[in-house]
Amino acid sequence: MANGILKGKKGIIFGALDEKSIAWKVAEKAVEEGAEIVLTNAPIALRMGTINQLAEKCNAKVIPADATNVEDLENLFKESMEIFGGKVDFVLHSIGMSPNVRKGRHYTDLDYNYFMKTLDVSALSFHKILQVAYKMDAISEWGSILGLSFIAAQRTFHAYGDMAEAKTVLESIARSFGYHFGKEKKVRVNTISQSPTLTTAGTGIYGFDKLYKFADAMAPLGNASAEDCANYCLMFFSDYAKMVTMQNLFHDGGFSNVGAVEAVADKL
Ligand SMILES: NC(=O)c1ccc[n+]([C@@H]2O[C@H](COP(=O)([O-])OP(=O)(O)OC[C@H]3O[C@@H](n4cnc5c(N)ncnc54)[C@H](O)[C@@H]3O)[C@@H](O)[C@H]2O)c1
């Protein structure tokens, strides 16, 4: 049901690893809606994942960039602007990784080198992308930049580990940089707080299947899928959300505003 809401817009999409990735769905749908895109991921993910299939389908170039490396990001924006023949209209930051979570380190037994890596990959990379784009004046007026978050930024989820801190920082960066980007360049910066979703990053969390079922039972609309999330992202890239910036927007079927529900209470 494409409506051409991104006709003529050009965007960079970080984080499509395989067809389960939220970024993968965003890329497919953005192109269906008329956008021209560049895909990017860390060099190791390009070797492990299946991004080339997506690139072929979307008629997109793939430019490797480790999102924690400022030089890689400068090169990415430079090359993208050459491909587009001008500035970038939208950027999706769909990046998350915690070595502590991956290696099953409990929150009360974190490795601090890993913790720094979690913050760098999952949160500071957002600041680096914003700062590189800002300094290079790479984003069009009324452009839109999005990061993907999770409600563990506000509330405790026992198995989410140090990713909770990363998401809190991510959301704070959207507010702080959103102010400067908005004031100086009329560019929007927001985060979308998504339901648990069956992807590589999601299912890497200990007990994810139970978290997924719990959120699904709590949310009056149930969990939002990766496809639903992609549709919401497209709306934020479009001109329909022109005046929205510095926000964290829950995309979770209502989960974030629920207290108690029968489905869970009846099981006690
Ligand atoms: N899956 C969920 O339950 C869920 C829920 C809410 C928010 N999110 C967020 O959505 C985003 C996308 O995750 P996903 O669920 O699609 O999983 P995914 O595993 O498909 O995507 C994560 C991506 O991050 C990339 N990445 C890791 N380190 C990188 C680096 N140094 N440089 C560049 N890219 C790097 C990976 O290669 C991968 O493509 C993440 O921010 C995640 O935290 C996911």
Side-chain angles (χ1 to χ4, degrees), residues 12-253:
I12 301 178
I13 297 183
F14 287 78
L17 177 67
D18 56 34
E19 62 186 3
K20 294 197 286 315
S21 300
I22 297 169
W24 187 287
K25 315 284 182 203
V26 175
E28 286 180 328
K29 285 174 179 282
V31 170
E32 279 168 29
E33 291 290 344
E36 191 184 335
I37 58 166
V38 161
L39 295 165
T40 181
N41 210 323
I44 185 168
L46 297 183
R47 289 195 294 278
M48 286 166 45
T50 50
I51 199 171
N52 287 333
Q53 289 170 23
L54 178 65
E56 209 171 300
K57 189 173 175 200
C58 294
N59 195 21
K61 180 117 198 277
V62 180
I63 302 176
D66 177 342
T68 64
N69 183 310
V70 170
E71 267 177 37
D72 281 9
L73 294 172
E74 285 167 349
N75 178 60
L76 169 68
F77 276 97
K78 185 173 157 286
E79 277 195 39
S80 299
M81 285 197 286
E82 280 163 17
I83 291 167
F84 294 150
K87 293 189 188 184
V88 179
D89 298 301
F90 63 88
V91 177
L92 176 71
H93 175 286
S94 185
I95 299 171
M97 199 278 295
S98 158
N100 278 309
V101 170
R102 269 201 186 171
K103 291 178 195 286
R105 301 283 298 234
H106 193 263
Y107 190 74
T108 56
D109 181 35
L110 293 182
D111 176 295
Y112 291 112
N113 288 325
Y114 291 168
F115 196 176
M116 298 297 274
K117 185 85 183 159
T118 302
L119 293 175
D120 197 19
V121 171
S122 311
L124 300 194
S125 62
F126 195 42
H127 194 284
K128 290 175 183 176
I129 290 167
L130 289 160
Q131 186 162 298
V132 165
Y134 183 91
K135 284 188 179 171
M136 290 177 73
D137 198 17
I139 312 292
S140 315
E141 263 203 1
W142 302 110
S144 175
I145 303 178
L146 275 181
L148 292 181
S149 194
F150 184 58
I151 192 174
Q154 289 82 22
R155 302 194 186 174
T156 300
F157 286 78
H158 66 97
Y160 204 66
D162 56 359
M163 279 298 290
E165 278 71 40
K167 291 307 191 193
T168 307
V169 173
L170 183 85
E171 293 178 12
S172 179
I173 289 170
R175 281 188 294 276
S176 303
F177 222 122
Y179 172 78
H180 297 287
F181 234 140
K183 198 146 178 55
E184 296 303 320
K185 303 187 193 273
K186 295 267 183 290
V187 170
R188 299 165 275 161
V189 186
N190 296 290
T191 50
I192 289 177
S193 184
Q194 163 67 5
S195 293
T197 316
L198 300 160
T199 63
T200 304
T203 51
I205 297 162
Y206 171 78
F208 180 83
D209 51 338
K210 287 203 174 145
L211 169 65
Y212 182 89
K213 284 185 194 151
F214 176 79
D216 200 41
M218 292 284 283
L221 299 181
N223 284 334
S225 69
E227 285 82 4
D228 294 324
C229 185
N231 286 332
Y232 198 45
C233 291
L234 300 192
M235 198 267 279
F236 278 95
F237 295 150
S238 82
D239 298 333
Y240 288 111
K242 187 178 166 205
M243 297 305 285
V244 183
T245 195
M246 301 163 67
Q247 304 298 318
N248 177 54
L249 299 134
F250 288 102
H251 183 257
D252 62 0

